[in-house]
Amino acid sequence: MPKLHIVANRLPYSISKQDNEYQLIESVGGLATGMKSVYTEYGGKWIGWSGLNSDDLNPKEAAEIDALLEEKGCATVPLSENDILEYYEGFSNKTIWPLFHYFTQYVDYSPENWETYKRVNQRFADRVLDVCEEGDTVWVHDYQLLLVPEMIKSKKPGVTVGFFLHIPFPSYEVFRILPWRMELLSGMLGADLLGFHIYDYERHFISSVRRLHGYEINFNQIHAEERIIKVDAYPMGIDYDKFSKASTAVMQKTIHERSDLHKELEKYFMVSPDRRLILSIDRLDYSKGIPQRLKAFGKFLEKYPDFRGKVTMIMLAVPSRGHVEEYQLLKKEVDELVGKINGEFGSVNYAPVWYFYRALPFENLVELYNTCDVALITPLRDGMNLVAKEYVASRNTQTGVIVLSEMAGVSKEMGEAITINPINEDEIAEALNTALTMPVEEQKERMKYLQNRIQRYSIFKWAGDFVQDLDKVKLLQKEYLAKKITSSVYNEIEAKYKKAKNRAIFLDYDGTLTPFHKNPLEASPNEELFDILKKLIADEKNTVTIISGRDRYTLEKWFADVPINLICEHGVWLRKLGEDWQTLTSVNNDWMPMIRPILERFVDRTPGSFIEEKNYSLVWHYRKAEPDQSLIRANELKDELLGMVGNLNLEIMEGSKVIEVKNGGINKGIAALQFIKNKKYDFLTALGDDWTDEFMFKELPKEAISIKVGLKRTAAAYKLESVDAVRDFLKKLGDN
Ligand code: ADQ
């Protein structure tokens, strides 16, 4: 039974030592909760770091801890002091974290840290390879382990790898700054399914892949050399019922059972019933916008003096990454700002900000969610932000308002929150006023929608969806790989070839016999290709035809010394060996003056693109243009042309980085059929790589050996992965 394993920087337990004995403390974080349900159900392991410095442990202690964790299905990856410094605090938290959150000024480009990051990622991957078998599934988490997917895939290609990034993936313009961008991207592309919280991160990732790797991308499928890789958005959820139930339980406690914090909160409201509480909760991190939030709160008190003495902000900041300088400076700034606001607006019995610099037990957290009227969540950047969802889940009365940064992934799911720009202190101050004066009915109306949505897409649904899609991606890959020409498939084809007396061989040119060239005019055949073709032609049983969208002059020139049949312009022109050029159908060019100006307009607006004029068609080439822009332009052009071509009996053909407008009723399929109609062939093969070749694959008789070059969906019976594979294939046939 295939298993599912989880890999994350941290294991879902931390270790404490009591009376000289090690004990495990279960993590209560969202990821731990969600993933535990997954890996235990599928009988897998959780691979990660225990949180301890391995230099501090003697071998006996390390073995004792490993054994404890082993019992819980965990496999440990040890980290030494230097690893922690350079891999975790260094490359993960001082390089990737700031860069992916758009804090380029904080990025540390230390090559030593990069080396350690690679080494430690390899250690994680090796541990995974120890515990998993071909056929298993591995789900890798987050930015500390970007290289792990490829490290697993390259050793065990039969393992299905999923990867989820919990932080934003930045735009290409930011990602490209990293000297190691290519390695990181290749590392991630070892996965079969990549998940992000929201579509924007997915889009940024795809754009980096397109620009750096040049892979062909169809919507959210990346056509890598050997595999289809799927990319999708899965907004991470929370254990909704846990918060909701805890919130009810907290409220049902008798006075004696209530926590100290709860009693304090009640006392606060006893002073005056129109008092209000605003809640602010995060790890103390510069990405969370805490200083800006404090300043905005100051502005609010200044602008709305009636609220002074009546509104308090409870600010929880969980200590985080305290060894990193930026975090120490942030702590100082926050301390000072809290002091300043309390000094300026506070009084003997009123503190505007209650500041807690520590983690709180779950129960206290729920008490705060339950009691506070407004959640003020204003990160400058945040992958998702689970605090917003936890607040929603804890509001059993359905009152409460969220003021939310548009820079948090969660804002995409919370249209009912009051969204603000986290830098705009005035806007936040206004939003606080709106939130605090919002009628209860409106609060309930908004909260009802939020609760429905957040409850539905819980952490369990999120994890389940991802795992299900991992299964689906396996099926998708099979569909694409099913018809690969393996050596046994080749032998069958060769046997048919040997037996045949009359063979017709149709060969597309660009992308099939020869790789694409930035400048199509420079893609002439080389000696190797001539040798392959000449050998095939030398066999009298073979009728070899190049069937291409190119114009006849170019092909005639390139193949002047080769006795080969040519079909050009997708079937408009035909030249049989020893005969003159003939058109296969009656066509005219009257439409060209109408269509040319449209294409010219697109050339003007798309630098690097150009028009090719053939006898019976016009082609807009955009291979040399900027990839993302030209893709948008290509869609616009298609749109515009589609409105015109019907009346003119024209067809629009989309090839590889080209859009071609031509007379209707002509294509490579019709041309190939015309070509073979007067003779009986007992071996038919057609090779091509793009959409225009699909006509051949569809039109030729069923017994034809149709071969698609590349990984895209096709009507062909077989596939070869590249031009090199095509050349090998033809060379072997020709050697017979
Ligand atoms: P974080 O940056 O840690 O997570 P967030 O999603 O808000 O941000 O999660 C914080 C968690 O810590 C919440 O579950 C919250 O309850 C808890 N917490 C906060 N303050 C606490 C306190 N004082 N005491 C106890 N617990 C406290 C990263 C990304 C996010 C992404 C998550 C999940 O940065 O963008 O949402 O991963 O993918």
Side-chain angles (χ1 to χ4, degrees), residues 28-31 97 101 142 164-168 197 201 236 238 243 281-283 285 287-288 316-319 321 356 358-362 365 369 381-388 390 409 462:
V28 289
L31 184 67
W97 178 273
H101 286 86
D142 227 0
F164 191 86
L165 186 70
H166 290 263
I167 64 173
H197 283 303
Y201 311 153
M236 184 173 166
I238 56 164
F243 282 88
I281 298 194
D282 338 64
R283 269 186 314 100
D285 193 291
S287 66
K288 304 288 184 183
L316 288 192
V318 186
R321 304 173 195 172
F356 301 86
R358 56 173 181 263
L360 288 188
F362 175 70
L365 210 60
Y369 285 143
R381 292 276 165 184
D382 212 337
M384 172 53 70
N385 193 294
L386 298 178
V387 168
E390 293 168 359
W462 170 82

Coordinates of all heavy atoms in Angstrom, one line a residue, residues 28-31 97 101 142 164-168 197 201 236 238 243 281-283 285 287-288 316-319 321 356 358-362 365 369 381-388 390 409 462, ligand 1:
V28 N 0.4 22.6 18.4 CA -1.0 22.8 18.2 C -1.3 23.7 16.9 O -2.4 24.0 16.6 CB -1.7 23.5 19.4 CG1 -1.8 22.5 20.5 CG2 -1.0 24.8 19.8
G29 N -0.2 24.1 16.2 CA -0.3 25.0 15.1 C -1.2 24.3 14.0 O -1.4 23.1 14.0
G30 N -1.6 25.2 13.1 CA -2.5 24.7 12.0 C -2.0 23.6 11.2 O -2.6 22.6 10.9
L31 N -0.7 23.8 10.8 CA -0.1 22.8 9.9 C 0.0 21.4 10.5 O -0.4 20.4 9.9 CB 1.3 23.3 9.4 CG 2.0 22.4 8.4 CD1 1.2 22.4 7.1 CD2 3.4 22.7 8.2
W97 N 13.1 34.5 3.1 CA 12.0 35.2 3.8 C 11.8 36.7 3.4 O 10.8 37.1 2.9 CB 12.0 35.0 5.3 CG 10.9 35.7 6.0 CD1 10.9 37.0 6.4 CD2 9.6 35.2 6.4 NE1 9.7 37.3 7.0 CE2 8.9 36.2 7.0 CE3 9.0 33.9 6.2 CZ2 7.6 36.0 7.5 CZ3 7.8 33.7 6.7 CH2 7.1 34.8 7.3
H101 N 9.0 38.3 0.7 CA 8.0 39.2 1.3 C 8.3 40.7 0.8 O 7.8 41.6 1.3 CB 8.0 39.2 2.8 CG 7.3 38.0 3.4 ND1 8.0 36.8 3.6 CD2 6.0 37.8 3.8 CE1 7.1 35.9 4.1 NE2 6.0 36.5 4.2
D142 N 7.1 24.3 2.4 CA 7.7 25.6 2.7 C 9.1 25.9 2.2 O 9.8 25.1 1.8 CB 7.4 25.9 4.1 CG 6.8 27.3 4.3 OD1 6.6 28.0 3.2 OD2 6.6 27.8 5.4
F164 N 4.1 22.6 -1.1 CA 3.3 23.7 -0.8 C 4.1 24.8 -0.2 O 4.9 24.6 0.7 CB 2.2 23.3 0.2 CG 1.1 24.4 0.3 CD1 0.1 24.5 -0.6 CD2 1.3 25.4 1.3 CE1 -0.9 25.5 -0.5 CE2 0.3 26.4 1.4 CZ -0.7 26.5 0.5
L165 N 3.9 26.0 -0.8 CA 4.6 27.2 -0.2 C 3.7 28.0 0.6 O 2.6 28.5 0.2 CB 5.1 28.1 -1.4 CG 6.0 29.2 -1.0 CD1 7.4 28.7 -0.5 CD2 6.3 30.2 -2.1
H166 N 4.1 28.2 1.9 CA 3.2 28.9 2.8 C 3.4 30.4 2.8 O 2.6 31.1 3.5 CB 3.5 28.4 4.3 CG 3.0 27.0 4.5 ND1 1.8 26.7 5.0 CD2 3.5 25.8 4.1 CE1 1.6 25.4 5.0 NE2 2.6 24.8 4.5
I167 N 4.4 30.9 2.1 CA 4.6 32.3 2.1 C 4.4 32.8 0.6 O 4.2 32.0 -0.3 CB 6.1 32.7 2.6 CG1 7.1 32.1 1.6 CG2 6.3 32.2 4.0 CD1 8.5 32.6 1.9
P168 N 4.4 34.1 0.4 CA 4.1 34.5 -1.0 C 5.2 34.1 -2.0 O 6.3 33.9 -1.5 CB 4.1 36.1 -0.9 CG 4.0 36.4 0.5 CD 4.6 35.2 1.3
H197 N -1.0 29.6 -1.7 CA -2.3 30.0 -1.1 C -3.2 30.7 -2.0 O -4.4 30.4 -2.0 CB -2.0 31.0 0.0 CG -1.4 30.4 1.3 ND1 -2.1 29.5 2.0 CD2 -0.3 30.7 2.0 CE1 -1.4 29.2 3.1 NE2 -0.3 29.9 3.1
Y201 N 0.2 34.2 -6.3 CA 1.5 33.6 -6.1 C 1.8 32.5 -7.2 O 2.9 32.4 -7.7 CB 1.6 32.9 -4.8 CG 1.2 33.8 -3.6 CD1 0.7 33.2 -2.4 CD2 1.3 35.2 -3.6 CE1 0.3 34.0 -1.3 CE2 0.9 36.0 -2.6 CZ 0.4 35.4 -1.4 OH 0.0 36.2 -0.4
M236 N -5.1 27.9 2.4 CA -5.0 27.0 3.6 C -6.1 27.5 4.7 O -6.3 28.6 4.9 CB -3.7 27.1 4.3 CG -3.5 26.2 5.4 SD -1.7 26.3 6.0 CE -1.9 25.5 7.5
I238 N -8.3 26.5 8.6 CA -8.0 26.2 10.0 C -8.9 25.1 10.5 O -9.9 24.7 9.8 CB -8.2 27.4 10.9 CG1 -9.6 28.0 10.7 CG2 -7.2 28.5 10.5 CD1 -10.0 28.9 11.8
F243 N -11.9 25.9 17.1 CA -12.0 27.3 17.7 C -13.4 27.6 18.1 O -13.7 28.2 19.1 CB -11.5 28.3 16.6 CG -10.0 28.4 16.6 CD1 -9.3 27.5 15.7 CD2 -9.3 29.3 17.4 CE1 -7.9 27.6 15.7 CE2 -7.9 29.3 17.3 CZ -7.2 28.4 16.5
I281 N -2.7 40.4 16.7 CA -2.0 39.2 17.0 C -1.0 38.8 15.9 O -1.5 38.7 14.7 CB -2.9 38.0 17.2 CG1 -3.8 38.2 18.4 CG2 -2.1 36.7 17.5 CD1 -4.5 37.0 18.9
D282 N 0.3 38.7 16.1 CA 1.2 38.1 15.1 C 2.4 37.7 15.8 O 2.7 37.9 17.0 CB 1.7 39.2 14.1 CG 0.8 40.4 13.9 OD1 0.7 41.2 14.9 OD2 0.4 40.6 12.8
R283 N 3.2 36.9 15.0 CA 4.7 36.8 15.4 C 5.3 38.1 15.2 O 4.9 38.9 14.3 CB 5.3 35.8 14.4 CG 5.3 34.4 14.8 CD 6.1 33.5 13.9 NE 5.9 33.8 12.5 CZ 6.7 34.5 11.7 NH1 7.8 35.0 12.2 NH2 6.4 34.7 10.5
D285 N 7.2 40.1 13.5 CA 8.0 40.0 12.2 C 7.8 41.3 11.4 O 6.6 41.8 11.4 CB 7.4 38.8 11.4 CG 8.3 38.4 10.3 OD1 8.4 39.2 9.3 OD2 9.0 37.4 10.4
S287 N 7.3 41.7 8.4 CA 6.4 41.6 7.4 C 4.9 41.9 7.9 O 4.0 42.0 7.1 CB 6.4 40.2 6.8 OG 5.9 39.2 7.7
K288 N 4.8 41.9 9.2 CA 3.4 42.0 9.7 C 2.9 43.4 9.9 O 1.8 43.7 10.3 CB 3.3 41.3 11.1 CG 3.7 39.8 11.0 CD 2.7 38.9 10.3 CE 3.1 37.4 10.4 NZ 2.2 36.5 9.7
L316 N -0.7 41.3 20.9 CA 0.1 40.1 21.2 C 1.2 40.0 20.1 O 0.9 40.0 19.0 CB -0.7 38.9 21.1 CG -1.8 38.6 22.1 CD1 -2.3 37.2 21.9 CD2 -1.2 38.8 23.5
A317 N 2.4 39.9 20.6 CA 3.5 39.7 19.6 C 4.3 38.5 20.1 O 4.8 38.5 21.2 CB 4.4 40.9 19.5
V318 N 4.3 37.4 19.3 CA 5.0 36.2 19.7 C 6.5 36.4 19.3 O 6.8 36.7 18.2 CB 4.5 35.0 18.9 CG1 5.2 33.7 19.5 CG2 3.0 34.9 19.1
P319 N 7.4 36.2 20.3 CA 8.8 36.4 20.0 C 9.2 35.5 18.8 O 8.8 34.3 18.8 CB 9.5 35.9 21.3 CG 8.5 36.1 22.4 CD 7.2 35.8 21.7
R321 N 12.6 34.7 15.9 CA 13.9 34.9 15.2 C 14.7 36.0 15.9 O 15.3 36.9 15.2 CB 13.6 35.3 13.7 CG 12.8 34.2 13.0 CD 12.4 34.6 11.7 NE 11.4 33.7 11.2 CZ 10.6 33.7 10.1 NH1 10.9 34.7 9.3 NH2 9.7 32.9 9.9
F356 N 1.6 42.4 25.0 CA 2.2 41.1 25.5 C 3.2 40.6 24.5 O 2.8 40.3 23.4 CB 1.1 40.1 25.6 CG -0.1 40.4 26.5 CD1 -1.1 41.2 26.0 CD2 -0.1 40.0 27.9 CE1 -2.2 41.5 26.8 CE2 -1.1 40.4 28.7 CZ -2.2 41.1 28.2
R358 N 4.8 37.7 24.1 CA 5.0 36.2 24.4 C 3.9 35.4 23.7 O 2.9 36.0 23.2 CB 4.9 36.0 25.9 CG 3.6 36.5 26.6 CD 3.5 36.1 28.0 NE 2.2 36.5 28.6 CZ 2.1 37.6 29.4 NH1 3.1 38.4 29.6 NH2 0.9 37.9 29.9
A359 N 4.1 34.1 23.7 CA 3.1 33.2 23.2 C 2.0 33.0 24.3 O 2.4 33.0 25.4 CB 3.7 31.9 22.7
L360 N 0.8 32.8 23.9 CA -0.2 32.5 24.9 C -0.8 31.1 24.7 O -0.8 30.6 23.6 CB -1.4 33.6 24.8 CG -1.1 35.0 25.2 CD1 -2.4 35.8 25.1 CD2 -0.5 35.1 26.6
P361 N -1.3 30.5 25.8 CA -2.0 29.2 25.6 C -3.2 29.4 24.8 O -3.8 30.5 24.7 CB -2.3 28.8 27.1 CG -1.6 29.8 28.0 CD -1.3 31.0 27.2
F362 N -3.6 28.3 24.2 CA -4.7 28.3 23.2 C -6.0 28.9 23.9 O -6.7 29.7 23.3 CB -5.0 26.8 22.8 CG -6.2 26.6 22.0 CD1 -6.3 27.1 20.7 CD2 -7.3 26.0 22.5 CE1 -7.4 27.0 19.9 CE2 -8.5 25.8 21.7 CZ -8.5 26.3 20.4
L365 N -5.9 32.6 23.9 CA -6.1 33.1 22.5 C -7.6 33.2 22.2 O -8.1 34.2 21.7 CB -5.4 32.1 21.6 CG -4.7 32.6 20.3 CD1 -3.7 33.7 20.6 CD2 -4.1 31.5 19.5
Y369 N -10.0 36.3 21.1 CA -10.8 36.3 19.9 C -12.3 36.5 20.2 O -13.0 37.3 19.5 CB -10.7 35.0 19.1 CG -9.4 34.7 18.4 CD1 -8.8 33.4 18.4 CD2 -8.7 35.7 17.8 CE1 -7.6 33.2 17.7 CE2 -7.5 35.5 17.1 CZ -7.0 34.2 17.1 OH -5.8 34.0 16.4
R381 N 3.0 42.2 4.0 CA 2.8 41.0 3.2 C 2.6 39.8 4.0 O 3.2 39.7 5.1 CB 4.2 40.7 2.4 CG 4.6 41.7 1.4 CD 3.9 41.5 0.1 NE 4.1 42.7 -0.7 CZ 3.5 42.8 -1.9 NH1 2.8 41.9 -2.4 NH2 3.7 44.0 -2.6
D382 N 1.7 39.0 3.6 CA 1.5 37.7 4.4 C 0.9 36.7 3.4 O 0.0 36.9 2.7 CB 0.4 38.0 5.5 CG 0.6 37.2 6.7 OD1 1.3 36.1 6.6 OD2 0.1 37.6 7.8
G383 N 1.6 35.5 3.5 CA 1.2 34.4 2.6 C -0.3 34.2 2.6 O -1.0 34.2 1.6
M384 N -0.8 34.0 3.9 CA -2.2 33.8 4.1 C -2.7 34.7 5.2 O -3.3 35.7 5.0 CB -2.5 32.3 4.4 CG -3.9 31.9 4.8 SD -5.2 32.5 3.7 CE -5.1 31.5 2.3
N385 N -2.3 34.3 6.4 CA -2.7 34.9 7.7 C -3.9 34.1 8.3 O -5.1 34.3 8.0 CB -3.1 36.4 7.7 CG -3.1 36.9 9.1 OD1 -4.0 36.5 9.9 ND2 -2.2 37.8 9.5
L386 N -3.5 33.2 9.2 CA -4.5 32.4 9.8 C -5.3 33.0 11.0 O -6.4 32.6 11.4 CB -3.9 31.0 10.3 CG -3.2 30.2 9.2 CD1 -2.6 29.0 9.7 CD2 -4.3 29.8 8.1
V387 N -4.7 34.1 11.6 CA -5.3 34.8 12.7 C -6.7 35.3 12.3 O -7.6 35.1 13.0 CB -4.4 35.9 13.2 CG1 -5.1 36.8 14.1 CG2 -3.1 35.3 13.8
A388 N -6.8 35.8 11.1 CA -8.0 36.3 10.6 C -9.1 35.2 10.6 O -10.2 35.4 11.0 CB -7.9 36.9 9.2
E390 N -9.0 32.4 12.4 CA -9.3 32.0 13.8 C -10.3 32.9 14.5 O -11.1 32.5 15.2 CB -8.0 31.9 14.5 CG -7.1 30.8 14.0 CD -5.6 30.8 14.5 OE1 -5.3 31.7 15.4 OE2 -4.8 30.0 14.1
G409 N -2.8 37.2 1.9 CA -3.5 36.2 1.0 C -4.9 36.1 1.4 O -5.8 35.9 0.6
W462 N -8.6 21.4 3.0 CA -7.5 21.9 2.2 C -6.5 20.7 2.0 O -6.0 20.5 0.9 CB -6.8 23.0 3.1 CG -5.5 23.5 2.6 CD1 -5.2 24.4 1.6 CD2 -4.2 23.1 3.2 NE1 -3.9 24.6 1.5 CE2 -3.2 23.8 2.5 CE3 -3.8 22.3 4.2 CZ2 -1.8 23.7 2.7 CZ3 -2.4 22.1 4.5 CH2 -1.5 22.9 3.8
Ligands
ADQ1 P1 2.8 32.9 10.3 O1 3.6 34.0 9.7 O2 3.2 32.3 11.5 O3 2.6 31.7 9.2 P2 -0.2 33.1 10.6 O4 -0.8 32.5 9.5 O5 -1.0 34.3 11.1 O6 1.3 33.6 10.4 O7 -0.2 32.0 11.8 C1 0.2 32.4 13.1 C2 -0.3 31.3 14.1 O8 0.3 31.6 15.4 C3 -1.8 31.4 14.3 O9 -2.3 30.1 14.3 C4 -2.0 32.0 15.7 O10 -3.1 31.5 16.4 C5 -0.7 31.7 16.4 N1 -0.4 32.8 17.3 C6 -0.2 34.1 17.0 N2 0.1 34.8 18.1 C7 0.0 34.0 19.1 C8 0.3 34.1 20.5 N3 0.6 35.3 21.1 N4 0.2 33.0 21.3 C9 -0.1 31.8 20.7 N5 -0.3 31.6 19.4 C10 -0.2 32.7 18.6 C11 3.1 31.4 7.9 C12 2.8 32.5 6.8 C13 1.4 32.8 6.8 C14 0.5 31.6 6.6 C15 0.9 30.5 7.5 C16 0.2 29.2 7.1 O11 3.6 33.6 7.1 O12 1.1 33.8 5.8 O13 -0.8 31.9 6.8 O14 2.3 30.2 7.5 O15 0.5 28.8 5.8

